[in-house]
Amino acid sequence: MPRTVQPGDLHSPKKQNHTEYARTIDCNTLSVSAPLHWLSLGLHDFIRMPIISMFYGACFTAAAVAIVLLLQWQVTLSHLVVMPALIVYMLIGPFLALGLYDASWEREKGHSPSLLHSMKAIGRNSTSQWAFAVMLAVAMIFWMRIAALLHALYPSVQGAPLHEFAPFLIIGSAVGLFLACAIFSISAFSLPLMMERRVDVMTAIFSSFNAVKNNIGAMVVWAALIAGGVLIGFATYGVGMFFTMPLLGYATWHGYHAAIKKKHTP
């Protein structure tokens, strides 16, 4: 439940503690080139932590290869197996990323990262993390249902002229872009925030959205880098995920620290 403001809070700001539900944590101002710096720091982490990087890279690769194989399966069965596979990927992907965030966090603190410690990070704020993962899965189901409805705009005649495809392409692209931007905005920094500060899922979502909204230029670059990494991964039949996903995971942690104000920052 949202926190109820007490009369004494009006005279004593210090009483508003950091466990307040659904608050928004302030963000920093980022330069447009900041994501490139996050990527370079992520590459440094990848090289410095080869065992952890290879383990999570192999996990992401296995999941991506499974989806690629499903896509190449019988066309008549694709709609029955691909959607559940993508939903499962949306559920396990965030939890795999938590291990990468933890490894980068341990390095920042001057500790020696270990695979076991990174795996334990999955349970650090499990309630909020599971809620967020399920929310992403539901968003993906909604996205697929919208796509199915928009398919009604697809020309029914084979070999139809190009202008008949216009409604399907324009409306479909606009809806897809809107949903992609919305999901990216609420998820850009949510997971590392939930892991490090143990905040509730709504605080993480509001804070991530606020950071993206106030740093449009940098976040467009970051979204392009993420899209490029994922495309490389699937273009190589999932094998590229072995490198791109750990790299993006580490870079996300550094991006989170650059975007969201620290606890001690006024």
Side-chain angles (χ1 to χ4, degrees):
M1 293 291 293
R3 178 179 179 272
T4 302
V5 178
Q6 302 298 326
D9 291 345
L10 300 176
H11 307 287
S12 180
K14 292 183 178 179
K15 289 186 180 181
Q16 296 190 19
N17 59 64
H18 66 280
T19 60
E20 183 181 352
Y21 180 78
R23 62 200 178 98
T24 300
I25 301 174
D26 290 336
C27 66
N28 296 311
T29 301
L30 305 171
S31 67
V32 176
S33 62
L36 299 176
H37 179 59
W38 308 342
L39 210 59
S40 67
L41 293 175
L43 178 61
H44 192 261
D45 285 347
F46 187 98
I47 296 171
R48 293 282 182 163
M49 299 181 288
I51 294 177
I52 295 175
S53 301
M54 288 189 291
F55 173 79
Y56 288 103
C59 291
F60 278 110
T61 298
V65 168
I67 292 175
V68 171
L69 291 176
L70 287 172
L71 287 170
Q72 294 179 338
W73 209 14
Q74 297 181 24
V75 177
T76 56
L77 295 178
S78 62
H79 67 287
L80 298 176
V81 294
V82 174
M83 187 174 80
L86 290 173
I87 292 171
V88 170
Y89 192 83
M90 293 296 290
L91 285 170
I92 66 173
F95 288 92
L96 291 175
L98 288 169
L100 298 168
Y101 303 153
D102 178 79
S104 287
W105 189 16
E106 287 295 291
R107 284 202 69 231
E108 282 186 359
K109 293 186 291 187
H111 300 167
S112 179
S114 70
L115 180 59
L116 180 60
H117 191 281
S118 71
M119 294 173 71
K120 289 180 179 179
I122 294 175
R124 182 171 172 81
N125 189 3
S126 57
T127 301
S128 294
Q129 291 160 1
W130 268 113
F132 185 74
V134 170
M135 186 193 69
L136 288 182
V138 171
M140 187 165 187
I141 294 173
F142 176 75
W143 193 337
M144 290 180 172
R145 294 309 303 163
I146 292 294
L149 292 174
L150 289 173
H151 195 72
L153 298 173
Y154 196 86
S156 57
V157 180
Q158 206 170 26
L162 183 60
H163 70 271
E164 293 191 14
F165 288 88
F168 173 75
L169 293 174
I170 295 173
I171 298 176
S173 299
V175 171
L177 180 63
F178 173 79
L179 291 174
C181 290
I183 292 173
F184 173 75
S185 298
I186 66 174
S187 62
F189 305 116
S190 296
L191 279 171
L193 183 56
M194 282 186 278
M195 186 191 75
E196 183 187 24
R197 303 196 195 181
R198 298 178 186 265
V199 299
D200 60 90
V201 65
M202 296 311 298
T203 293
I205 287 173
F206 291 162
S207 301
S208 177
F209 180 82
N210 182 61
V212 173
K213 180 190 68 173
N214 287 287
N215 294 283
I216 297 295
M219 301 315 297
V220 167
V221 174
W222 180 228
L225 291 173
I226 293 175
V230 173
L231 286 175
I232 290 172
F234 280 110
T236 55
Y237 292 90
V239 177
M241 296 287 189
F242 185 84
F243 176 78
T244 61
M245 296 311 289
L247 178 60
L248 291 172
Y250 295 138
T252 298
W253 174 261
H254 295 292
Y256 153 69
H257 263 196
I260 305 298
K261 287 190 175 181
K262 304 282 195 300
K263 291 180 182 180
H264 61 269
T265 303

